[in-house]
Amino acid sequence: MLKDITIGQYFPGNSVIHRLDARFKIAITAIYIIMVFSAKSFISLGAAFLFFVIAFLLSGISVKLIIKSMKPIIPVIIFTSVLNIFFIDGVTVFELFGIRISDEGLLTSGYMIIRLVSLICGSSLLTYTTSPIILTDAIEQMLKPLSKLRFPAHELAMMMTIALRFIPTLIEETDKIMSAQKARGAELDSGSFTDRAKALIPILIPLFVSSFRRAEELALAMECRCYNGGEGRTKLKTLVSGGKDYAALSLSLLFLALIMIIDLGRVVL
Amino acid sequence: MDKIISAEKLSFYYSDYSDDEAAENENSRVQVFDRLDLEIEKGSFTVILGHNGCGKSTLAKHMNAILLPCGGKMYSAGIDTSETDRLFDIRKHIGMVFQNPDNQIVASVVEEDVAFALENMGVPQDEMRERVDSALKAVGMYEYREHSPSQLSGGQKQRVAIAGIIAMMPDCIVLDEPTAMLDPSGRREVMKTIRRLNKEKGITIVLITHYMDEAAQADRVVVMDKGRIILDDIPQEVFSNVEMLRKVGLDVPQATQLMYMMNKDGFKDADVHIIDAEKCADYLYELLK
């Protein structure tokens, strides 16, 4: 069951999207998020979604994967849209046993659904097409100017690298501990909510203990390989940006401008 | 021959830090070793054997200055390990591989992990690429350079860890029970890699193990017990001391075991200096003919 977690999953490929400089991809994703949240009409939201569709088609990622990435947020989507439908006042469209549904409510929850869905689609496209290690590198480089203000850019990136490296190891370990506790009669899947929460304690404690041990050994191994912080470090692979990266960035800015013009036009009209 | 590692009257003890007064008191100290002398020759393949708690891992940690001596001197690659400002010089020359491969791999791509030490040392990119590739080829993991370590078997992971060390081009690699967590085929892979690095690249190997068949492959076996060196010779001579090894809780290779038992049962020509299965089989064949 724990094997299904897809955090930071990467699907290697050789498409234009895969080959874009990760720093630009992060910037473009940020612009895309601005697009999604600044769009105030269905037409402009559609334009933002069109931008995603173009990127998606170029990436060669299957539709199934995008839908799969949506799975964990379905409850959130349902919850927020239900809240919006019932609790926003406006012209009543439908009424039954004192429960009113307004046009404003329908509209707001419609926007909310589209926004959330496009948000998840866009950000999962980023992680699907960029290897975690390159992503961390890109984040490190983007934050580097801040290190002059004593912001720990290298340390942050190192922590992310190690965290990503240990996700599969710790998942495997959790599975092992769970089986071991089940073999000794622990009931993990039955009982009330509090019972199940309590049953997690004998899993979390050994997991923490072993993580501390791992951390100590890893620190030792890193020291043995001359790790001395971020200063004077070189890189096996450096990020290179080219024409296609600037083209992609311009395209995203163009879409953002387009969305703003559409919305502005509607207000003026 | 040149000495790559030499311990001169090395002493080390742990103190019980839970109590400050006790730390001052000599009786509360746990003495690991007291005035230990050991020299490792350049290019040799030395195995350090010993029962749990005999101080073999502690000794290994002195070799690349993870632990510093409480008394005496430790020279690694000609540098006194107590010169703390030359720590990285020592570690560039003396690499160390640990027991659990999972806990020494830093990056989530094999080649990035092998490059880790080089990145730390500030090696230029072109040279780094070359050294990473040749290190991966030396351990036979080049085809896996773009894999994630979590997709590899234990033996493969340990070979990646070794590649991460040899990319630094050290003169000596200290391996602290590198095969203890591996299955038999993983152990074979790792031992083959270690032997090849020693023979072909001339890297000095110090292998800490409690597997007798691994010790039998070395040029020299050092047996430790309670922080002292009790035997130090070529494997054939060391393993012929069957009773002494038993007394300190160690086994001998199965071939030696058989020879020893036959010798005791009256086959006076059964030679306890035989440590490998092949020679043992030859002897039995001659006997049965």
Side-chain angles (χ1 to χ4, degrees):
Chain A
M1 76 184 233
L2 287 164
K3 296 246 154 69
D4 295 336
I5 295 174
T6 55
I7 301 169
Q9 207 167 28
Y10 164 57
F11 296 92
N14 202 25
S15 73
V16 190
I17 305 289
H18 281 88
R19 280 182 281 126
L20 280 183
D21 184 338
R23 287 169 295 182
F24 281 81
K25 267 194 265 188
I26 294 173
I28 292 168
T29 310
I31 293 170
Y32 170 73
I33 291 170
I34 298 172
M35 278 186 221
V36 168
F37 279 96
S38 65
K40 289 185 182 63
S41 66
F42 283 114
I43 305 166
S44 50
L45 265 179
F49 197 70
L50 179 70
F51 180 75
F52 163 74
V53 171
I54 295 170
F56 164 73
L57 289 176
L58 287 173
S59 72
I61 294 286
S62 76
V63 187
K64 239 191 233 160
L65 279 174
I66 295 290
I67 292 171
K68 203 179 150 199
S69 72
M70 217 69 73
K71 234 180 179 173
I73 60 141
I74 288 173
V76 181
I77 294 180
I78 294 173
F79 184 71
T80 47
S81 52
V82 165
L83 274 187
N84 278 316
I85 287 177
F86 293 120
F87 293 101
I88 288 179
D89 280 334
V91 183
T92 307
V93 205
F94 180 83
E95 188 167 353
L96 194 70
F97 308 122
I99 298 169
R100 293 189 319 117
I101 292 176
S102 69
D103 59 343
E104 279 291 320
L106 277 178
L107 220 57
T108 320
S109 68
Y111 281 139
M112 194 58 94
I113 291 169
I114 296 174
R115 279 195 185 126
L116 282 175
V117 168
S118 351
L119 193 68
I120 299 301
C121 287
S123 42
S124 37
L125 195 64
L126 175 70
T127 54
Y128 282 165
T129 59
T130 320
S131 96
I133 203 139
I134 292 175
L135 209 54
T136 349
D137 263 5
I139 293 171
E140 181 178 0
Q141 291 213 2
M142 291 173 94
L143 293 177
K144 213 171 215 167
L146 288 179
S147 62
K148 288 212 174 62
L149 304 169
R150 297 246 180 128
F151 183 82
H154 165 75
E155 285 77 3
L156 202 71
M158 194 42 130
M159 275 159 61
M160 280 174 68
T161 309
I162 291 171
L164 286 168
R165 149 76 186 84
F166 276 92
I167 287 173
T169 312
L170 290 181
I171 287 176
E172 203 178 293
E173 181 139 39
T174 313
D175 264 343
K176 245 184 236 165
I177 296 171
M178 279 170 102
S179 311
Q181 302 295 35
K182 273 185 197 158
R184 295 193 241 165
E187 284 180 43
L188 302 176
D189 317 308
S190 59
S192 71
F193 181 74
T194 31
D195 284 344
R196 270 187 284 173
K198 272 186 193 154
L200 280 180
I201 295 172
I203 289 164
L204 290 179
I205 289 174
L207 191 65
F208 268 90
V209 171
S210 93
S211 303
F212 282 122
R213 194 174 309 129
R214 278 180 196 285
E216 209 177 313
E217 279 185 32
L218 183 72
L220 200 61
M222 283 169 72
E223 273 188 41
C224 283
R225 288 161 78 185
C226 303
Y227 180 66
N228 194 19
E231 225 145 286
R233 266 186 125 236
T234 45
K235 284 268 170 199
L236 177 65
K237 286 177 185 159
T238 37
L239 300 165
V240 275
S241 49
K244 62 179 184 311
D245 301 306
Y246 290 101
L249 186 68
S250 325
L251 187 70
S252 68
L253 286 171
L254 199 72
F255 262 85
L256 184 62
L258 185 73
I259 284 163
M260 292 192 161
I261 291 166
I262 293 173
D263 286 336
L264 211 64
R266 269 166 42 95
V267 172
V268 172
L269 290 173
Chain B
M1 270 248 244
D2 277 352
K3 309 278 178 272
I4 181 116
I5 291 170
S6 64
E8 290 173 10
K9 299 197 169 42
L10 185 69
S11 298
F12 185 77
Y13 51 81
Y14 289 106
S15 313
D16 188 359
Y17 287 110
S18 61
D19 188 350
D20 278 344
E21 264 174 57
E24 300 293 319
N25 182 354
E26 280 202 20
N27 293 330
S28 72
R29 288 174 181 171
V30 183
Q31 190 87 29
V32 184
F33 22 76
D34 191 18
R35 291 189 290 277
L36 181 108
D37 290 302
L38 178 71
E39 286 184 331
I40 308 269
E41 279 167 3
K42 218 170 210 169
S44 66
F45 181 173
T46 307
V47 160
I48 299 178
L49 270 181
H51 202 248
N52 285 345
C54 73
K56 55 191 198 300
S57 285
T58 313
L59 180 60
K61 284 181 180 149
H62 277 82
M63 291 180 181
N64 75 342
I66 296 171
L67 293 175
L68 297 177
C70 300
K73 288 280 176 202
M74 183 84 192
Y75 294 98
S76 295
I79 305 167
D80 185 346
T81 57
S82 55
E83 285 181 49
T84 39
D85 51 332
R86 298 190 67 187
L87 198 65
F88 290 108
D89 280 336
I90 294 172
R91 292 189 178 157
K92 264 179 227 171
H93 289 290
I94 317 277
M96 187 137 176
V97 176
F98 296 91
Q99 189 180 85
N100 189 342
D102 265 329
N103 296 353
Q104 25 183 340
I105 295 177
V106 183
S108 40
V109 180
V110 167
E111 60 177 8
E112 296 270 354
D113 184 72
V114 176
F116 181 71
L118 303 179
E119 292 181 336
N120 293 335
M121 285 155 56
V123 173
Q125 206 169 22
D126 301 335
E127 191 191 334
M128 196 189 295
R129 183 80 255 173
E130 236 167 72
R131 281 165 75 167
V132 166
D133 288 350
S134 80
L136 279 168
K137 279 174 191 156
V139 299
M141 290 295 293
Y142 186 65
E143 309 85 89
Y144 295 93
R145 64 190 178 282
E146 281 176 358
H147 282 234
S148 148
S150 59
Q151 297 169 305
L152 305 177
S153 72
Q156 289 173 326
K157 275 188 233 179
Q158 197 60 284
R159 276 149 68 199
V160 170
I162 294 173
I165 296 297
I166 53 179
M168 294 197 291
M169 298 207 234
D171 304 318
C172 173
I173 304 180
V174 180
L175 302 106
D176 190 356
E177 301 194 31
T179 57
M181 301 189 75
L182 308 180
D183 56 8
S185 72
R187 276 179 55 201
R188 268 196 301 277
E189 282 170 31
V190 170
M191 280 310 292
K192 218 175 102 190
T193 311
I194 294 173
R195 269 206 317 275
R196 208 178 49 224
L197 290 174
N198 178 244
K199 294 274 167 315
E200 290 171 15
K201 304 220 168 208
I203 299 174
T204 314
I205 302 283
V206 178
L207 174 67
I208 290 167
T209 184
H210 51 243
Y211 289 112
M212 300 305 137
D213 51 331
E214 289 175 6
Q217 301 172 16
D219 304 334
R220 173 185 175 196
V221 176
V222 176
V223 182
M224 286 182 71
D225 183 49
K226 301 195 187 81
R228 288 172 305 119
I229 292 172
I230 54 166
L231 288 169
D232 180 358
D233 213 327
I234 56 168
Q236 285 84 344
E237 290 297 331
V238 166
F239 289 125
S240 63
N241 296 296
V242 180
E243 271 142 45
M244 190 169 183
L245 288 172
R246 286 254 180 85
K247 217 186 282 166
V248 299
L250 291 171
D251 264 330
V252 293
Q254 281 178 327
T256 317
Q257 170 95 2
L258 180 64
M259 289 296 117
Y260 173 74
M261 285 165 79
M262 287 179 75
N263 199 311
K264 258 182 122 180
D265 286 348
F267 293 90
K268 285 297 166 221
D269 56 341
D271 185 4
V272 287
H273 292 83
I274 289 176
I275 55 169
D276 59 313
E278 195 114 330
K279 287 227 180 76
C280 175
D282 283 347
Y283 168 75
L284 292 177
Y285 179 74
E286 287 299 321
L287 193 70
L288 294 170
K289 221 165 50 174

